[in-house]
Amino acid sequence: QKEVEQDPGPLSVPEGAIVSLNCTYSNSAFQYFMWYRQYSRKGPELLMYTYSSGNKEDGRFTAQVDKSSKYISLFIRDSQPSDSATYLCAIGVLTGFQKLVFGTGTRLLVSP
Amino acid sequence: DTGVSQDPRHKITKRGQNVTFRCDPISEHNRLYWYRQTLGQGPEFLTYFQNEAQLEKSRLLSDRFSAERPKGSFSTLEIQRTEQGDSAMYLCASSLAGTGNSGAFFGQGTRLTVV
């Protein structure tokens, strides 16, 4: 079993839709959570970073963490064609050297 | 642009040759990471520096790979005797330890193709 599981997609939605992206993890030592957006042939771009259960909002993006279920989500409101990219969840431990464990990424396609 | 910078962006090399990549982190960041990403996969951790000290290496980092961060600023990743399986995107990231830590920021990567 992988430490972090993420559906690879692709996930296709029309412009304006609410998008839900999810990851599950197995190690309860994981304490902080990030979401990255990656366009083709580019480096990952940090979107959201949180280390507590609950919701964190930034513009059209909301990150949700449920530590009891080992489940994290990223919601994108009013999705745009420019949101079409691969979304990676990344999870790490707060102490030590903060190695990140990534999911495989979910490819999102937003059609106009 | 004061983000993480990587050079070169692309490298094509013949099998058996040595290659070296450079990473310049965000200037105030004391932690630097190297990751490798293959097509359809998330990045995989290779190694980590706190200042100039290399504190952790993944089992993925065979003895053909070596990384340095001589003055706690830029870092280099060298691959000796490249193999076709080394073809991947090599990503560098940096972060700030302590209360200012707000996540790890990645560069644009170096795409290596071994022919």
Side-chain angles (χ1 to χ4, degrees):
Chain A
Q1 182 187 6
K2 287 185 178 180
E3 286 187 285
V4 181
E5 299 275 2
Q6 185 175 11
D7 187 329
L11 176 62
S12 295
V13 301
E15 183 176 355
I18 296 175
V19 174
S20 172
L21 303 163
N22 311 294
C23 286
T24 58
Y25 61 96
S26 56
N27 188 347
S28 57
F30 287 138
Q31 297 168 289
Y32 73 99
F33 312 90
M34 301 183 193
W35 284 96
Y36 288 86
R37 177 173 63 195
Q38 188 173 29
Y39 293 111
S40 180
R41 297 184 174 270
K42 302 289 187 184
E45 173 193 4
L46 181 63
L47 288 176
M48 302 287 284
Y49 166 76
T50 183
Y51 54 85
S52 57
S53 282
N55 293 352
K56 181 176 182 179
E57 189 173 320
D58 184 0
R60 296 186 295 115
F61 299 94
T62 299
Q64 188 174 80
V65 174
D66 182 348
K67 289 186 180 181
S68 62
S69 302
K70 301 189 183 68
Y71 190 87
I72 65 171
S73 300
L74 178 70
F75 298 96
I76 307 174
R77 290 183 298 282
D78 188 25
S79 55
Q80 302 295 310
S82 58
D83 294 328
S84 298
T86 296
Y87 290 80
L88 296 153
C89 63
I91 307 178
V93 296
L94 199 57
T95 56
F97 65 92
Q98 298 185 353
K99 163 192 163 183
L100 291 176
V101 180
F102 282 82
T104 55
T106 298
R107 187 166 159 235
L108 172 66
L109 302 171
V110 181
S111 54
Chain B
D1 186 353
T2 56
V4 178
S5 176
Q6 292 189 248
D7 183 69
R9 291 291 309 278
H10 306 276
K11 179 71 177 179
I12 300 174
T13 191
K14 291 184 178 179
R15 190 174 53 187
Q17 297 295 303
N18 299 344
V19 294
T20 300
F21 310 140
R22 178 181 168 119
C23 171
D24 288 90
I26 294 172
S27 58
E28 64 268 27
H29 285 184
N30 54 357
R31 290 180 171 172
L32 186 146
Y33 315 80
W34 286 98
Y35 285 79
R36 181 171 68 187
Q37 186 178 25
T38 54
L39 199 62
Q41 301 297 316
E44 294 176 294
F45 171 78
L46 292 178
T47 190
Y48 153 75
F49 291 84
Q50 172 118 351
N51 299 313
E52 67 274 10
Q54 187 175 19
L55 298 183
E56 188 71 23
K57 292 194 291 186
S58 163
R59 284 171 292 179
L60 293 174
L61 213 65
S62 76
D63 53 10
R64 295 186 298 106
F65 288 70
S66 62
E68 293 182 343
R69 193 183 183 196
K71 295 182 180 179
S73 57
F74 73 93
S75 175
T76 58
L77 177 69
E78 180 183 18
I79 309 174
Q80 296 182 326
R81 305 181 303 282
T82 52
E83 301 172 357
Q84 286 189 321
D86 297 332
S87 295
M89 173 86 92
Y90 289 84
L91 293 161
C92 176
S94 69
S95 70
L96 183 64
T99 56
N101 186 359
S102 59
F105 296 85
F106 282 82
Q108 293 301 309
T110 294
R111 183 170 296 279
L112 174 66
T113 302
V114 181
V115 297

